[in-house]
Amino acid sequence: MRLAKYLAHAGAASRRAAEDLVRAGRVTLDGEVVRDPARDVDEGSGVALDGVALAGPEARVVYAVNKPEGVVSTASDPGGRPTVLGLVAGESRRLYPVGRLDADTTGLLLLTNDGELAHRLTHPSFEVPRTYRARVARPPVGEAALRALRRGVELEDGPTAPAEARRLAPDVLELTIHEGRKRQVRRMCDAVGHPVRSLARVRFGPLELGDLAPGAHRRLTGAEVERLRRATASRA
Ligand code: URA
């Protein structure tokens, strides 16, 4: 494995910051300074940072959280709002949110220290489906609106791909989309004349939000992580 990746997996720094650490001469292999972040290493290479031996790549973890309203899904917020990382108290590994939910959207968000998995789950080419429940204005939602959402609607950054759309109540829509554009569901609902009043993500790929309480988290089982990996395997 490349040295910078090894350092990142060991939790020492992000991939980019790890490259800087190596170039700065702070990393040694069996006591010898290396400055090439691409150097091939493994657990027998004696990798140390600032003279302190690093444990091997840490175990991969994936958490599901039920993001409450007002919590941001970036790792930090200049405005000082609480972040989703704060929902997983007691976890010392560096976690990354898998994609984003708007601050005013609630529901299922994944956090992981597996950068590769996070990348694949959010990369448009894998088209991992996400399902949202939207309470909307101007009920009832009619057949024409549903048909338009299914077919794809014109947004300012281009038409949306076909979506699955069904009406759960006169003012509640369930939408499954295979893209992750900014405020996409809100803009799609706007486009068909039903502005969103509240929005929750209830499914991400093979995973359901289920009965996870707002603000709560749980660690995914190995079988669940495997299902997530398989959701990105077809186009690998
Ligand atoms: N679509 C939105 O409009 N907002 C989200 O947070 C997620 C999807």
Side-chain angles (χ1 to χ4, degrees):
M1 178 187 295
R2 290 174 85 250
L3 177 55
K5 184 172 179 180
Y6 187 96
L7 290 164
H9 282 189
S14 68
R15 190 89 62 96
R16 175 76 58 81
E19 292 183 357
D20 293 341
L21 290 176
V22 177
R23 291 199 185 97
R26 294 174 56 187
V27 177
T28 49
L29 300 186
D30 285 333
E32 296 281 320
V33 172
V34 274
R35 293 183 191 269
D36 176 10
R39 182 76 158 268
D40 194 38
V41 295
D42 60 26
E43 296 193 31
S45 305
V47 180
L49 171 64
D50 295 332
V52 179
L54 289 180
E58 63 185 15
R60 297 284 173 277
V61 285
V62 186
Y63 289 93
V65 302
N66 183 350
K67 189 186 92 58
E69 227 177 296
V71 173
V72 298
S73 52
T74 45
S76 67
D77 182 52
R81 289 174 294 181
T83 80
V84 286
L85 299 184
L87 297 176
V88 187
E91 173 55 79
S92 58
R93 286 166 277 217
R94 172 197 284 262
L95 299 176
Y96 302 92
V98 177
R100 301 265 185 269
L101 289 177
D102 303 331
D104 47 354
T105 300
T106 62
L108 180 58
L109 186 75
L110 302 179
L111 303 177
T112 183
N113 61 345
D114 186 336
E116 175 71 19
L117 179 65
H119 173 73
R120 293 164 71 95
L121 286 169
T122 50
H123 197 277
S125 66
F126 294 108
E127 297 180 1
V128 176
R130 302 120 211 242
T131 301
Y132 297 86
R133 295 235 171 108
R135 190 168 292 280
V136 297
R138 304 198 201 119
V141 176
E143 284 303 321
L146 289 172
R147 274 198 303 274
L149 291 167
R150 289 179 190 135
R151 211 171 33 232
V153 296
E154 196 59 52
L155 299 181
E156 63 198 17
D157 50 354
T160 60
E164 286 122 67
R166 60 192 187 117
R167 188 179 41 221
L168 303 181
D171 65 341
V172 180
L173 271 174
E174 189 176 84
L175 265 178
T176 299
I177 61 174
H178 301 258
E179 308 163 282
R181 293 197 239 160
K182 209 165 180 211
R183 296 183 80 81
Q184 181 168 343
V185 171
R186 292 173 198 276
R187 292 189 291 140
M188 288 172 76
C189 291
D190 267 346
V192 297
H194 293 284
V196 167
R197 293 280 185 244
S198 65
L199 185 63
R201 182 155 70 193
V202 294
R203 197 176 171 96
F204 187 100
L207 286 178
E208 307 254 10
L209 175 63
D211 55 10
L212 198 60
H217 69 275
R218 72 177 182 85
R219 187 169 164 182
L220 300 190
T221 64
E224 286 174 317
V225 174
E226 195 42 46
R227 278 161 58 209
L228 276 178
R229 283 191 206 289
R230 281 206 297 271
T232 69
S234 53
R235 287 151 203 265

